[in-house]
Amino acid sequence: MFGLELTTIWFVLIAVLWIGYFALEGFDFGVGMLVPVLARDETERRVMINTIGPVWDGNEVWLLVAGGATFAAFPEWYATLFSGFYLPLLIILVALILRNLSFEYRHKGDTASWRARWDVAMIGGSYVPAVLWGVAFANITAGVPIDADKEFTGTLFTLLNPYALLGGAVTALLFATHGAMFVALKTDGEIRHRARALAVRLGAAAAVVAVVFLTWTQVRTGDLSSAVAFVLAALCLLAGVAAAAAGREGWAFLGTFLTIVLAVAGLFLALFPDVMPSSTSAAYSLTTTNAAATPYTLQIMTWVALVFTPIVIGYQTWTYWVFRKRISTRHIPTAQLTAARD
């Protein structure tokens, strides 16, 4: 199909799904991480939460589809990944559940202590995945110990190596910067100006750490295509920070959005044709060929993807268009603010 192997097509599709997840859910995580930093009172906390209220659950669809597509298209990759990374992925899942519950239950109590407990769940549920996704993908890109039976032979401490921890720092800083850009784009008043100023500071720190990580990645596993993606990602981040400093929030958000898109794309380019390299022996690495499902399965999945992918993208685009306007403290109903202070 299209002159390409179906295994290659599905590797690209899975890469696109992960890119969409990190670029969209990334600012969700960033907003949650920055609530205690940017919001000065309950009103501003509600404003920040409301910026992502209409979209956060739709953004997580990308993760669900990426996991399902990996299971169906590359079952060996899925099996090795989820058995070897079981504990980190479980921690991410629990964090996401608590975070999602905080959005639903925070406003159902009238006491400050009730809201404070759910704020902890929201903030922690944003920080933990932001760091651990970076750790996980850094390990996938660099390679982990896999034996001839395609089984992970390391431990949790194997995954917590310096390169992977640096990857976690990069994703946390990038998502925080992305979230600050989004808050500046979606709000008005004092919180908008604070978010824009914070985005510049976070972006500068993210640029330094990201350049070190991407350079390290390029030296270890990269090629020309990944090098181009990484250079463009760095340029987009610098452009986004400059736009934020100039008060151009829309261009600033686009800059961090493209930074994440290009950086994740670069990781997948550095990974291909492997899907999970083995640090034990290159002969034991999982590739797009030996980890793939049967050709018939991939054919059926391809036709299903051709039908439903445009529908999902169209629906999400419509959602963002409908909720495109800025919000501020004046949009929070007075009755709800009075109840929140009681």
Side-chain angles (χ1 to χ4, degrees):
M1 183 177 287
F2 312 121
L4 292 174
E5 294 283 346
L6 282 176
T7 53
T8 302
I9 291 173
W10 272 98
F11 179 87
V12 173
L13 289 175
I14 289 172
V16 169
L17 290 169
W18 280 109
I19 289 169
Y21 174 67
F22 285 132
L24 295 174
E25 188 82 318
F27 69 75
D28 279 0
F29 290 144
V31 172
M33 293 161 67
L34 296 177
V35 164
V37 179
L38 289 175
R40 301 290 173 80
D41 53 30
E42 174 61 20
T43 309
E44 292 187 347
R45 284 192 288 273
R46 289 181 61 85
V47 167
M48 290 188 65
I49 295 171
N50 286 352
T51 63
I52 60 175
V55 297
W56 67 264
D57 51 351
N59 293 342
E60 292 196 345
V61 170
W62 292 83
L63 173 62
L64 298 176
V65 179
T70 303
F71 171 77
F74 299 101
E76 294 285 356
W77 183 14
Y78 183 93
T80 304
L81 176 64
F82 277 77
S83 60
F85 291 45
Y86 179 80
L87 184 56
L89 292 176
L90 177 61
I91 294 172
I92 290 174
L93 178 61
V94 172
L96 290 176
I97 291 173
L98 291 175
R99 175 176 173 270
N100 296 349
L101 287 174
S102 71
F103 294 141
E104 299 294 338
Y105 284 94
R106 185 183 186 280
H107 66 282
K108 296 185 182 297
D110 294 331
T111 65
S113 60
W114 171 271
R115 291 188 299 275
R117 285 194 292 270
W118 286 115
D119 283 348
V120 171
M122 175 180 58
I123 297 164
S126 299
Y127 268 103
V128 170
V131 173
L132 290 185
W133 279 130
V135 172
F137 269 81
N139 277 296
I140 292 172
T141 305
V144 292
I146 300 173
D147 63 16
D149 295 323
K150 301 178 182 178
E151 293 184 358
F152 177 78
T153 58
T155 65
L156 175 62
F157 297 103
T158 305
L159 304 178
L160 300 179
N161 56 79
Y163 173 75
L165 293 175
L166 182 62
V170 170
T171 50
L173 283 170
L174 279 180
F175 291 166
T177 304
H178 200 33
M181 299 288 193
F182 185 74
V183 174
L185 177 64
K186 285 289 295 178
T187 62
D188 208 353
E190 288 298 319
I191 192 171
R192 172 187 178 185
H193 300 296
R194 290 199 299 270
R196 192 168 62 207
L198 180 61
V200 173
R201 296 194 297 271
L202 286 173
V208 173
V209 179
V211 167
V212 174
F213 174 75
L214 295 179
T215 302
W216 194 348
T217 302
Q218 182 64 26
V219 171
R220 293 184 66 162
T221 62
D223 55 18
L224 179 60
S225 60
S226 62
V228 171
F230 292 154
V231 170
L232 291 175
L235 293 175
C236 285
L237 181 55
L238 294 175
V241 172
R248 305 294 297 274
E249 289 106 343
W251 289 107
F253 179 76
L254 179 62
T256 52
F257 184 92
L258 291 177
T259 297
I260 295 173
V261 168
L262 290 165
V264 179
L267 292 179
F268 275 95
L269 288 170
L271 183 62
F272 185 80
D274 293 334
V275 294
M276 204 165 179
S278 171
S279 60
T280 304
S281 171
Y284 302 155
S285 295
L286 300 180
T287 69
T288 55
T289 302
N290 65 22
T294 63
Y296 183 65
T297 300
L298 295 178
Q299 289 174 13
I300 294 175
M301 290 175 59
T302 301
W303 289 115
V304 171
L306 288 174
V307 173
F308 287 101
T309 301
I311 296 174
V312 173
I313 294 175
Y315 170 76
Q316 279 213 288
T317 302
W318 176 80
T319 301
Y320 278 96
W321 176 255
V322 169
F323 295 100
R324 67 189 182 278
K325 294 184 177 180
R326 294 180 182 270
I327 63 174
S328 66
T329 54
R330 69 177 183 275
H331 294 115
I332 306 299
T334 305
Q336 293 184 8
L337 292 180
T338 302
R341 287 192 292 264
D342 291 342

